[in-house]
Amino acid sequence: MKCSEFLQELTNYLDGVLDARTKAELEDHLAWCHNCYVVCDTTKKTIEIYRDSQLYELPDDLRTRLRTAIMSKCKQKKAEQSS
Amino acid sequence: MGTIQPKVSEPVSDELALVQAAKAGNVGAFEDLVRRYDRNVFRIAQHITQNREDAEDVVQDAFLKAYGNLAQFQGQSKFYTWLVRIVVNEALMKLRRRRPERMVSLDEDVKTEDDSVPREVADWAPNPEQLYTQSELHDILSRTIQGLPPSFRTVFVLRDVEGLSTEETADALGLSIPAVKSRLLRARLQLRERLSRFFQKRKNGGDRIGGDHNQ
């Protein structure tokens, strides 16, 4: 397996959706190709860092304000429809 | 090297009952749906728009649109996937209004030069996120993802941050599965490349005068 072929399968490999044979070929490549090992490992870390970062969490006060605004408009809409 | 463990999603068994109740005019049931998904909606909106005020508008507009169109929801997909489709459309509309000079589309297959060829292959520190304070880390992550084309950011946030499956992402975005996979691979590789600058192992310990702390 060439490095370019490895890269094409990287997403499927990280998502765990490869058949056993392709997975074995990829892991064989990883065992001797240090660059691909690093790319694979750091791509996995990239995903984990974003996933676990709590970037763009909705603060409680804003959450309450938004929900109050949404629900008041929904109630208004409902009242308009039933009148 | 293991695969990525997906986020455990909340049970959806009672969700259809909530949607049915909301359809029948129970506003409280719709409020439960808002509570269930408002954090996700805000996160997706801010990832796409990269602007706090726009994200706030998107949260309101998307839920109101969902409420107004509940009758259209037929239950073929999950309610959340249907909601995400509305959120993404609203967020992209905001982005287009803000950057009218550049058309923003999910269909364009942006080709940035050599975006799939890794150039940076230095290994990272063992716990790279601990090299920075939380606010520094958020700043790095936010600036890094801002540099991606919107169509890549959108696929990345749905798949890797929100944990939607490839099929659900394709369904929510109206893209084919190969298109989702291609954008996801390139988004992941580009983010990795950019983060390497911050997270790679520092060469310290006096192998040269002054060390290498200036990054």
Side-chain angles (χ1 to χ4, degrees), chain A residues 49, chain B residues 125-134 136-137 198-199 202:
Chain A
I49 286 173
Chain B
N127 293 301
E129 62 274 48
Q130 288 168 13
L131 296 171
Y132 299 92
T133 65
Q134 204 192 26
E136 285 170 337
L137 181 67
F198 300 98
F199 294 151
R202 310 285 173 93

Side-chain angles (χ1 to χ4, degrees), chain A residues 7-17 23 27 30 34-51 53-60 62-63 65-67 69-71 73-75 77-78 81, chain B residues 1-5 7 25 27 30-31 34-35 38-39 42-43 46-47 50 52 56 59-60 63-64 67-68 116 118 121-126 128 138 141-142 144-145 156 159-161 181 184-185 188-189 191-192 195 199:
Chain A
L7 273 183
Q8 283 310 311
E9 293 296 341
L10 179 60
T11 273
N12 286 332
Y13 176 66
L14 289 174
D15 293 342
V17 295
K23 182 167 179 267
E27 285 177 347
L30 279 181
H34 181 68
N35 282 358
C36 282
Y37 179 86
V38 169
V39 169
C40 185
D41 183 46
T42 51
T43 303
K44 186 170 172 240
K45 281 181 185 159
T46 297
I47 296 162
E48 287 166 349
I49 286 173
Y50 270 99
R51 195 191 53 194
S53 69
Q54 300 187 308
L55 188 66
Y56 308 143
E57 283 302 299
L58 182 56
D60 284 342
L62 175 59
R63 189 177 181 217
R65 188 158 60 77
L66 286 174
R67 194 173 61 240
I70 292 164
M71 295 323 297
K73 284 184 187 159
C74 287
K75 282 172 192 156
K77 198 167 198 145
K78 194 189 167 194
Q81 281 167 348
Chain B
M1 196 179 304
T3 53
I4 304 154
Q5 297 307 308
K7 252 187 186 172
V27 184
F30 188 73
E31 186 161 8
V34 174
R35 273 180 215 275
D38 55 359
R39 293 189 180 92
F42 180 75
R43 212 158 35 222
Q46 187 149 359
H47 266 102
Q50 292 295 320
R52 169 77 174 258
E56 290 180 26
V59 173
Q60 295 196 51
F63 277 117
L64 288 172
Y67 184 74
S116 295
V121 288
D123 208 353
W124 288 7
H138 281 185
L141 297 178
S142 164
T144 300
I145 202 163
F156 180 80
R159 277 290 283 108
D160 285 339
V161 181
K181 285 191 172 183
L184 182 64
L185 173 66
R188 286 171 167 180
L189 287 175
L191 289 174
R192 184 207 76 87
L195 288 185
F199 294 151

Side-chain angles (χ1 to χ4, degrees), chain B residues 17-201:
Chain B
L18 281 177
V19 176
Q20 298 298 357
K23 268 188 180 183
N26 181 342
V27 184
F30 188 73
E31 186 161 8
D32 283 353
L33 291 167
V34 174
R35 273 180 215 275
R36 190 171 287 204
Y37 293 122
D38 55 359
R39 293 189 180 92
N40 308 68
V41 167
F42 180 75
R43 212 158 35 222
I44 295 168
Q46 187 149 359
H47 266 102
I48 297 176
T49 62
Q50 292 295 320
N51 177 286
R52 169 77 174 258
E53 281 175 27
D54 284 350
E56 290 180 26
D57 288 349
V58 170
V59 173
Q60 295 196 51
D61 296 347
F63 277 117
L64 288 172
K65 197 161 253 184
Y67 184 74
N69 290 288
L70 271 179
Q72 319 287 324
F73 176 70
Q74 301 297 329
Q76 283 114 337
S77 59
K78 277 198 275 188
F79 173 77
Y80 181 52
T81 317
W82 182 74
L83 179 65
V84 166
R85 196 179 308 151
I86 298 173
V87 175
V88 170
N89 283 336
E90 292 292 321
L92 288 175
M93 254 190 315
K94 281 276 174 206
L95 210 55
R96 286 181 197 123
R97 251 175 248 148
R98 198 171 275 274
R99 304 181 188 168
E101 76 285 357
R102 213 184 142 266
M103 191 57 192
V104 179
S105 164
L106 283 184
D107 293 329
E108 65 178 325
D109 198 7
V110 190
K111 196 77 194 165
T112 49
E113 53 179 295
D114 289 341
D115 60 11
S116 295
V117 182
R119 288 177 293 272
E120 189 54 74
V121 288
D123 208 353
W124 288 7
N127 293 301
E129 62 274 48
Q130 288 168 13
L131 296 171
Y132 299 92
T133 65
Q134 204 192 26
S135 78
E136 285 170 337
L137 181 67
H138 281 185
D139 191 46
I140 291 168
L141 297 178
S142 164
R143 277 191 290 135
T144 300
I145 202 163
Q146 240 171 60
L148 288 192
S151 61
F152 289 15
R153 290 207 290 271
T154 305
V155 170
F156 180 80
V157 65
L158 297 191
R159 277 290 283 108
D160 285 339
V161 181
E162 296 303 321
L164 267 69
S165 70
T166 305
E167 289 74 16
E168 287 167 338
T169 304
D171 183 24
L173 302 182
L175 291 172
S176 68
I177 286 176
V180 168
K181 285 191 172 183
S182 150
R183 283 162 178 71
L184 182 64
L185 173 66
R186 287 155 64 193
R188 286 171 167 180
L189 287 175
Q190 285 189 32
L191 289 174
R192 184 207 76 87
E193 191 82 27
R194 288 157 199 243
L195 288 185
S196 286
R197 204 152 56 89
F198 300 98
F199 294 151
Q200 64 182 253
K201 264 184 194 156

Side-chain angles (χ1 to χ4, degrees), chain B residues 8-29:
Chain B
V8 179
S9 48
E10 288 178 34
V12 290
S13 50
D14 61 334
E15 184 170 280
L16 209 54
L18 281 177
V19 176
Q20 298 298 357
K23 268 188 180 183
N26 181 342
V27 184

